[in-house]
Every structure is written in C-alpha cells, then in structure tokens.
Amino acid sequence: MAQQLPDDVVLSVENVSIVYHTSRGDVRATNNVSFQLRKGEAMALIGESGSGKTTVSLSLIRKLPKNAQVTEGRILYNRDHKVRDVLKLSKGEMRSFRWADCAMVFQGAQNAFNPVLKVRRQFEDTARAHGWNDKEAVRKRAMRLLELVRLDPDRVYDAYPHELSGGMKQRTLLALGVLLSPQVVILDEPTTALDILTQRAIIDVLNNMQDELGFSIIFISHDLALAAEMADTVATVYAGEIVEIGSVNEMFYRPLHPYTLGLLASVPKLDNQEDNMMSIPGTPPNLITPPSGCKFHPRCQFATDKCHEDEPVLVEYEHLAACWHTERVIETRGEYV
Ligand SMILES: Nc1ncnc2c1ncn2[C@@H]1O[C@H](COP(=O)(O)OP(=O)(O)OP(=O)(O)O)[C@@H](O)[C@H]1O
Ligand SMILES: [Mg+2]
C-alpha cells in the first residue's frame, strides 16, 4: 500500500528502536523514537554525551556501525509526493539517497577531506559518483555554494584542505553537503571543534544557506545557545528516548521535563546569578541495563515511587513531554529559566 504523509512533512521517524550488539550485552541506544520534520524546518536534538543523538541521525541515512540493528520502526521520506521507507531502500537507492535527498555532516568531519586532493576534486568526485559528469556545471554550482557560505570561491575551489582553516573547512563541507540539493541536511556537532567566534559565523552561514536553499535541518548540539539560534523545534534526548519536544520558545522558556529543565538550568546566565544555576546530579545510565520506569528517575529531583515503576510516554500538555510530574516542573521552572 502506498504510504501517506502530509505534503509538508519531509521525514517521518516512527517508533524507531536501535540496539548495538556488544560482548557485554545489547546497548539499547534508541528506544521508540518518533518525530516529524517539515519542509524548511530546523530541528535540534539536545542531550548529554551518550544520550543517543548520533545513533538516531545515523539511522536516517543508514550509516550505523555494523554491530547496530534497527529492531523496529520505519523512517518515511517524502519527496514530491513520493513516500519511501528509508529502511527498505536497496543499496543502490541508498547511495543516491545519501547525497541527493539527505546529506550528513558528521561529528568531527573537518578531517573528512582527503588531504592529497584539491577541494575541486572532492566536489567533482562527489558529483561523478551520482552520474553528474559535467565539470563546468559542477564548478558553477560549487562557486555559488562557496559564495553562499561566504568563502572566496575561486581560491577555495583550487586549494588543498591543509590550506584552509578549521572554520573554512567546515564551511566548505557545508557547501559540499548541499551540492546535490538534498531536502534534509543533518549536522552532527558542526561547530564543536571551533572557537566561539567561528562557531557564530558558521551558524550565520547556515541560516543564510537555509533561507536561500530551503532545506530542512537536523542539528545536533551540546550547546543550547547555538541550538536556540538554529532551531525552530527542539527535542531533548535522554537515554535513547525523546523525552520532550516542542518549539524553541516552548522548550527554552516553558520546559516540561525535569531533564530539559536541568539542561537549561546548568547553562550559566549572563546576569551570573549563581544561585540560579543547577547541575543535573549523577551521570547518564548504562544502556545495557537501563533503570526501570522513567529512565531519568535516579537523577530526578521530582521522582516518586511511580517513576521507579512505570515508564511515562510522551503526552501533550503544553507541548509533548514524557514525565509523571509535569505539574511540579511547571511550579518550579520559573526559578531556573
Ligand atoms: N558502535 C557502538 N557500539 C556499541 N555501543 C555504541 C556504539 N556507538 C555508540 N554506542 C553507545 O550508544 C549510546 C548512544 O551513543 P551516541 O553516540 O548515539 O550518543 P551521542 O548522544 O551522539 O553522544 P555524544 O554527544 O558524545 O556524541 C551510548 O551509550 C554509546 O556508548
Ligand atoms: Mg554524537
């Protein structure tokens, strides 16, 4: 049966679960994750190290490591009213999907360039791998994209990677990422290795590119301030689950989940009122033997017996959150956000 999605939804992730098989046992890195990404929307995934942000995004382009298995769910992708399940694409279809439909800039990708090839070759090779052999046309498109990321196109196109600074490499990667006009661009910690001014510049460039080209973004970041600048929608990931999802304003000013509240409260404020800062006690759980009930309960200031026993699901309150005690969070959040 043909699958249906609303016209403006480009990606629909539905109940996806992923495990890593390891000698110590199965790591349950993604549990029942669902979300929809709309045309032109930027969604940020936020959460501590090890929460499962990269795992989810790798599944979207089927680039998970060999020991990973998607145990359930489907990932629907919509282009021009044609809906396909990414998990069911053939190898050949997948290769073209990865650049032409959904491109990813990987965590730590500044080193992804082949050091012995000029930037030009990396653009040409990428194009050729997708049957695009007209070097002059590739050059034209590359010039436009390099300009969009505010680099000197002629100079960069003929440079070797080592002639570019970290920030320039990252911009070049962004340009390369959209060479084949993908509808979805996944950026995994795109600014982490860069200094703060360069980070800002990359975010500006990204916003600019997105305005111009209209793609949708999945943006993964530890940095809430950057996520706030990039995103329309924010999803908090904890222990492999989305525990809260809403618009950037809802999430940053009216959080409903204690974990989101903790992430926000642990960001130093400009007015530097230290007594308003709170850090989340403890560490993320072991995903081979995750806690019972709500996985956040061992670290949660609001936890009760119910939280030990029953796992909450996402419910619509002001927006979607998975917590038994959203009312308590609402009473308290004014002190922190
Ligand atoms: N190849 C692998 N084999 C086994 N376990 C893995 C593998 N890759 C990741 N994991 C585990 O899966 C969980 C999720 O990891 P993931 O890299 O998706 O988190 P993340 O949110 O992207 O973290 P970070 O912010 O550090 O990048 C972690 O518990 C991690 O240890
Ligand atoms: Mg990661």
Side-chain angles (χ1 to χ4, degrees):
M1 203 183 79
Q3 285 140 341
Q4 294 279 317
L5 280 180
D7 273 353
D8 66 332
V9 171
V10 285
L11 195 66
S12 179
V13 176
E14 304 183 352
N15 297 310
V16 168
S17 296
I18 301 164
V19 299
Y20 289 106
H21 300 296
T22 74
S23 56
R24 288 168 296 117
D26 283 355
V27 178
R28 299 159 60 86
T30 301
N31 270 307
N32 246 292
V33 162
S34 299
F35 63 86
Q36 291 194 330
L37 185 71
R38 288 174 195 282
K39 271 201 183 103
E41 180 182 28
M43 180 183 291
L45 303 181
I46 60 171
E48 287 160 295
S49 188
S51 55
K53 306 177 298 294
T54 296
T55 302
V56 169
S57 53
L58 289 175
S59 74
L60 306 178
I61 53 161
R62 300 236 317 255
K63 272 284 183 187
L64 286 163
K66 286 219 161 53
N67 64 329
Q69 185 190 355
V70 179
T71 54
E72 58 176 328
R74 49 183 205 169
I75 298 169
L76 301 183
Y77 176 78
N78 181 13
R79 182 150 210 165
D80 306 327
H81 313 289
K82 195 173 156 222
V83 178
R84 293 175 292 167
D85 186 341
V86 176
L87 299 176
K88 296 200 170 128
L89 297 181
S90 68
K91 270 198 171 151
E93 289 172 318
M94 209 50 230
R95 259 194 303 275
S96 99
F97 178 82
R98 265 182 212 127
W99 285 86
D101 291 305
C102 188
M104 180 155 176
V105 176
F106 294 94
Q107 199 162 358
Q110 280 101 304
N111 306 319
F113 283 114
N114 184 334
V116 301
L117 298 182
K118 285 188 171 179
V119 167
R120 168 160 45 86
R121 269 292 297 280
Q122 326 224 11
F123 276 80
E124 287 167 0
D125 289 355
T126 302
R128 185 155 9 87
H130 292 85
W132 187 13
N133 295 313
D134 179 348
K135 285 189 184 172
E136 202 32 53
V138 173
R139 181 185 176 87
K140 260 203 179 132
R141 168 112 179 126
M143 290 295 116
R144 171 159 138 68
L145 295 174
L146 290 168
E147 232 164 71
L148 257 187
V149 297
R150 303 201 187 111
L151 289 171
D152 174 351
D154 289 303
R155 200 191 126 209
V156 170
Y157 206 52
D158 278 308
Y160 285 99
H162 69 84
E163 298 175 273
L164 307 176
S165 69
M168 289 165 83
K169 270 189 239 173
Q170 192 62 313
R171 290 171 194 226
T172 306
L173 272 178
L174 294 177
L176 182 60
V178 296
L179 180 65
L180 297 164
S181 308
Q183 283 200 117
V184 178
V185 179
I186 304 168
L187 301 152
D188 194 351
E189 303 278 3
T191 64
T192 302
L194 306 169
D195 65 77
I196 223 156
L197 287 176
T198 311
Q199 289 189 3
R200 293 271 140 194
I202 296 279
I203 295 299
D204 280 350
V205 154
L206 252 178
N207 278 325
N208 185 34
M209 275 177 103
Q210 197 197 11
D211 286 347
E212 192 78 13
L213 303 174
F215 49 80
S216 309
I217 292 181
I218 295 180
F219 181 84
I220 297 174
S221 183
H222 281 102
D223 187 322
L224 300 195
L226 288 183
E229 273 180 51
M230 262 320 294
D232 306 302
T233 308
V234 177
T236 310
V237 185
Y238 188 75
E241 293 170 3
I242 291 184
V243 296
E244 180 168 6
I245 183 165
S247 73
V248 68
N249 281 326
E250 287 168 335
M251 294 293 283
F252 283 46
Y253 297 108
R254 299 189 296 284
L256 295 172
H257 195 284
Y259 182 58
T260 310
L261 184 62
L263 290 175
L264 292 171
S266 55
V267 175
K269 298 279 183 317
L270 278 182
D271 60 11
N272 205 17
Q273 288 177 303
E274 281 190 20
D275 43 327
N276 278 355
M277 258 181 75
M278 169 180 98
S279 65
I280 307 167
T283 52
N286 175 341
L287 296 178
I288 295 177
T289 50
S292 62
C294 172
K295 295 195 173 65
F296 188 58
H297 87 254
R299 303 174 71 188
C300 182
Q301 57 172 318
F302 305 105
T304 57
D305 287 347
K306 185 168 183 59
C307 309
H308 290 237
E309 285 148 24
D310 297 328
E311 169 137 46
V313 293
L314 285 172
V315 290
E316 179 81 36
Y317 201 86
E318 296 161 339
H319 51 273
L320 286 172
C323 174
W324 296 120
H325 299 299
T326 42
E327 270 131 27
R328 294 283 317 283
V329 177
I330 290 169
E331 282 164 27
T332 315
R333 67 189 177 192
E335 293 173 36
Y336 300 105
V337 294

